[in-house]
Amino acid sequence: MSETNSRRNFLKMSLGAAAIAPVSALGLSSTAFAATNPAKVNWDEEMDVLVIGSGMSGMIAAIRAAETDATAKVVVADKMSRLGGSSLISGLNMAVVGSDLQKNIGVTDDSWELLLKDIEREAKGYNHRELTEVAAKGTLDLYNFLKEHGVEYDMSIGGGTGVKKLGGHSKPRCVWPKGGGTEVIKKLQGYCSANLSNVEIRKKIFLEEILRNEQGRVIGVKVREKYRFSRKHDDLGDNDNPDINKSGKVKYYKVKRGLVMATGGYNQDRKFRGDEVGTMYNAASTTQPGATAGAIKAMVNAGFKPIHMTLFRFAFPVPTEDIRWGILVNPRTGERFVDEYNNNDRQAIGMAILEERRHIDGEHTVLIYDQKGADHYHDQQRFHLSLEGKNGINGTIWKFDTLEALADNFKMDVTKLKTNIEKYNTNMAQDQDEFHKPKGVLKEATSISKAPYYAMQLNPRYNYAQGGAMITANAEAVDVVTGEPIEGAFVCGEASAGTYGYIRLTACSTIDCGAFGMVAGVNAAKTKPWA
């Protein structure tokens, strides 16, 4: 294949502009990709369905494709040497409406409509409702699919009921797979090995380009086999730059029916995310190291429409609604800098913390509670896990008999700290907090005054990217120029965008991955092969 044919014309626009500007304003012609003549490609291999990504979404898509048509050759390809993506290190808790576990505790008045309402409360109008409905309606099918494919659920949750109510949910409906994401991936891979001879799973396959013909249909991909991902770069996203990481041998795969992009987010790509939101350059991330922007760049390069690229989701090691019971202080000054309740908006609190850290050379801010605040924690399980040092990176809470001991532990000036605590207590007593924190949401925890005291270094962790490729309710990728579905192209899970909008509700990432993974797999297998 000639260099001219292999070159893709990357869109000369910002990702944000691509998501919102009309075609005429962008100055684009009828296509935003360089068409490939399939007759001039020396195909190294062909397959019916190619799934890029081996996390939960990708594995479900592959299984559903293989089960939909037993004659279809399905290949799962992942760039990493370890399969499973970020799913592997996630708990994969999920909201499920109508499960047997929910019925066992007497919850019979839940519905997908109520779940949709809960999700849209957080979405703030940014979501595409037709997509959100797919996720909300698909929870029970996903729950049963996982059970049928070997996944068990953790009955130790919720006091032995297996179901729990989490923040933002109107009903107890959240369940946990036994063994978390590691066990889910193991079960799904094991099911393929034992039952689906038409599924092949490959490691170290790096996607370079998505190929579309003159009619706009996806016909195949350019990859590098035996690719080696390096963890030595300060910015892991440098691995996607062929001038920096040239590893692997180029191959061309002919994809006869459907390409499924299940590549996850780009959370570990510091430059890419920082170009969208400056503060995010130095945000920590809980995702797997390979969660870089190479896949979204390949999709944009092939004319897939990107949306919501400036949206992201923070996670804290403690529930967002339990931050309110304490005060967040700058360790150098002992001063507060934010309303710790902030309408329970994790994004606003997270951005305030990151901005404060920018002014103190990245030093961690400190969250301080007294005993009254600790007693009001709605999730006592996570509170005690933090006290025991079992709540992950930066999730530890320390207990102190005095403020002097607390200040000494964090190398703070105790006089400054006490002065600012007294200021907070006085203002809250008069319901005149300088950051407008409402006294009414604090119940009896309106002051920091009752020993012992508790403190942690609270750091927002970037754990979910709402931005990605726009899709239809059938999981079809959308062309950035025509606004029409791209034949032969499907996107699911965190690689897609539009389901959740401003912020994703807790325990809903799994249902997005699973529901659209099933939809993408079925539709890819049913797509008519191209000649």
Side-chain angles (χ1 to χ4, degrees):
M1 185 176 184
S2 70
E3 186 65 21
T4 300
N5 286 330
S6 67
R7 186 180 300 117
R8 306 267 86 63
N9 294 323
F10 193 87
L11 298 178
K12 298 183 183 301
M13 63 184 84
S14 74
L15 289 172
I20 60 174
V23 172
S24 58
L26 297 175
L28 297 175
S29 61
S30 59
T31 62
F33 63 93
T36 297
N37 183 344
K40 294 184 178 181
V41 180
N42 294 319
W43 300 108
D44 294 286
E45 187 179 352
E46 64 179 53
M47 57 210 63
D48 292 291
V49 176
L50 174 62
V51 179
I52 305 291
S54 66
M56 179 182 177
S57 188
M59 290 307 305
I60 288 176
I63 291 171
R64 290 301 289 123
E67 291 177 337
T68 299
D69 187 342
T71 69
K73 178 181 178 181
V74 180
V75 173
V76 179
D78 196 294
K79 71 179 181 182
M80 305 299 284
S81 59
R82 187 182 185 188
L83 298 172
S86 293
S87 297
L88 198 67
I89 56 175
S90 171
L92 292 188
N93 57 328
M94 61 181 180
V96 181
V97 175
S99 71
D100 51 347
L101 299 180
Q102 195 180 35
K103 291 176 182 176
N104 289 343
I105 62 171
V107 178
T108 59
D109 58 346
D110 201 3
S111 65
W112 73 263
E113 291 93 344
L114 189 55
L115 173 58
L116 175 66
K117 184 176 180 180
D118 290 342
I119 294 172
E120 289 198 317
R121 186 182 307 113
E122 303 297 324
K124 300 186 186 301
Y126 284 79
N127 66 306
H128 297 185
R129 176 169 287 186
E130 67 275 15
L131 304 182
T132 316
E133 285 190 4
V134 172
K137 289 178 179 177
T139 63
L140 186 58
D141 285 344
L142 173 60
Y143 172 83
N144 289 329
F145 172 90
L146 292 175
K147 283 210 304 185
E148 291 162 3
H149 291 79
V151 174
E152 300 177 23
Y153 291 92
D154 189 348
M155 293 305 299
S156 70
I157 298 297
T161 66
V163 63
K164 187 176 180 180
K165 181 180 178 183
L166 293 181
H169 289 272
S170 300
K171 302 289 180 181
R173 60 165 75 108
C174 301
V175 302
W176 275 253
K178 193 173 182 180
T182 299
E183 195 64 22
V184 169
I185 295 300
K186 186 185 299 183
K187 293 290 187 183
L188 296 180
Q189 289 176 358
Y191 186 89
C192 287
S193 298
N195 302 283
L196 299 173
S197 60
N198 57 331
V199 175
E200 180 185 347
I201 304 174
R202 303 177 182 178
K203 302 176 182 178
K204 300 182 181 180
I205 307 292
F206 179 79
L207 173 69
E208 271 202 3
E209 296 181 68
I210 299 170
L211 309 179
R212 297 175 65 182
N213 63 17
E214 290 184 357
Q215 292 72 43
R217 194 204 198 283
V218 167
I219 57 172
V221 296
K222 176 185 176 184
V223 301
R224 276 186 273 146
E225 296 183 342
K226 297 183 179 180
Y227 164 81
R228 297 184 303 277
F229 182 87
S230 173
R231 302 192 184 202
K232 296 180 180 180
H233 301 295
D234 290 336
D235 185 347
L236 294 172
D238 285 345
N239 281 285
D240 298 327
N241 185 341
D243 293 330
I244 295 175
N245 188 337
K246 298 179 172 66
S247 64
K249 183 177 181 180
V250 171
K251 293 290 182 73
Y252 290 89
Y253 293 169
K254 179 180 180 180
V255 182
K256 296 189 292 183
R257 299 192 192 184
L259 169 69
V260 178
M261 296 295 292
T263 46
Y266 42 82
N267 312 52
Q268 293 286 7
D269 200 309
R270 299 167 75 89
K271 183 181 187 307
F272 188 83
R273 72 192 192 195
D275 286 345
E276 292 294 325
V277 180
T279 307
M280 295 297 289
Y281 271 109
N282 295 313
S285 176
T286 57
T287 56
Q288 59 106 3
T292 58
I296 184 64
K297 290 176 182 177
M299 288 191 280
V300 171
N301 201 19
F304 292 33
K305 182 173 183 175
I307 61 171
H308 294 173
M309 301 305 293
T310 57
L311 299 179
F312 50 90
R313 182 184 191 269
F314 288 131
F316 293 102
V318 296
T320 310
E321 56 265 47
D322 284 329
I323 296 173
R324 76 181 72 178
W325 313 119
I327 57 171
L328 272 163
V329 301
N330 179 317
R332 296 186 181 178
T333 64
E335 295 179 353
R336 292 170 62 232
F337 54 88
V338 69
D339 164 12
E340 296 82 5
Y341 172 60
N342 221 310
N343 292 314
N344 209 35
D345 187 338
R346 71 173 68 212
Q347 299 304 96
I349 296 172
M351 288 296 286
I353 291 172
L354 289 176
E355 182 61 21
E356 191 72 11
R357 290 185 63 195
R358 276 212 290 193
H359 298 301
I360 53 175
D361 305 317
E363 190 174 342
H364 287 290
T365 59
V366 181
L367 176 62
I368 300 172
Y369 301 103
D370 73 346
Q371 187 59 51
K372 300 188 304 297
D375 290 340
H376 278 85
Y377 246 70
H378 98 279
D379 194 333
Q380 288 292 324
Q381 179 185 24
R382 287 177 71 179
F383 179 70
H384 287 285
L385 283 174
S386 288
L387 280 176
E388 296 166 9
K390 299 177 181 178
N391 197 14
I393 300 173
N394 297 132
T396 299
I397 294 177
W398 288 271
K399 182 178 180 179
F400 305 94
D401 292 330
T402 65
L403 287 174
E404 284 80 5
L406 185 155
D408 182 65
N409 183 77
F410 294 101
K411 297 180 172 55
M412 298 169 63
D413 184 320
V414 69
T415 301
K416 291 180 180 178
L417 177 62
K418 284 185 173 181
T419 297
N420 284 294
I421 287 176
E422 183 57 35
K423 177 182 177 182
Y424 170 75
N425 293 346
T426 300
N427 288 344
M428 287 305 302
Q430 301 170 358
D431 199 9
Q432 294 181 349
D433 178 61
E434 62 180 312
F435 296 103
H436 310 292
K437 184 176 181 179
K439 182 178 180 181
V441 303
L442 298 179
K443 300 181 181 179
E444 293 80 27
T446 56
S447 65
I448 306 296
S449 56
K450 183 179 179 181
Y453 300 95
Y454 304 84
M456 71 184 302
Q457 294 176 317
L458 189 67
N459 188 33
R461 302 177 294 191
Y462 180 25
N463 79 328
Y464 188 84
Q466 286 96 294
M470 181 177 173
I471 59 172
T472 70
N474 292 319
E476 302 157 301
V478 174
D479 187 276
V480 69
V481 173
T482 68
E484 297 297 321
I486 298 171
E487 188 177 1
F490 303 88
V491 190
C492 54
E494 200 174 348
S496 67
T499 303
Y500 293 127
Y502 178 73
I503 188 67
R504 172 183 62 75
L505 180 63
T506 298
C508 288
S509 173
T510 304
I511 62 174
D512 181 40
C513 289
F516 278 105
M518 290 192 287
V519 171
V522 170
N523 288 333
K526 288 182 175 179
T527 300
K528 182 180 178 181
W530 63 274

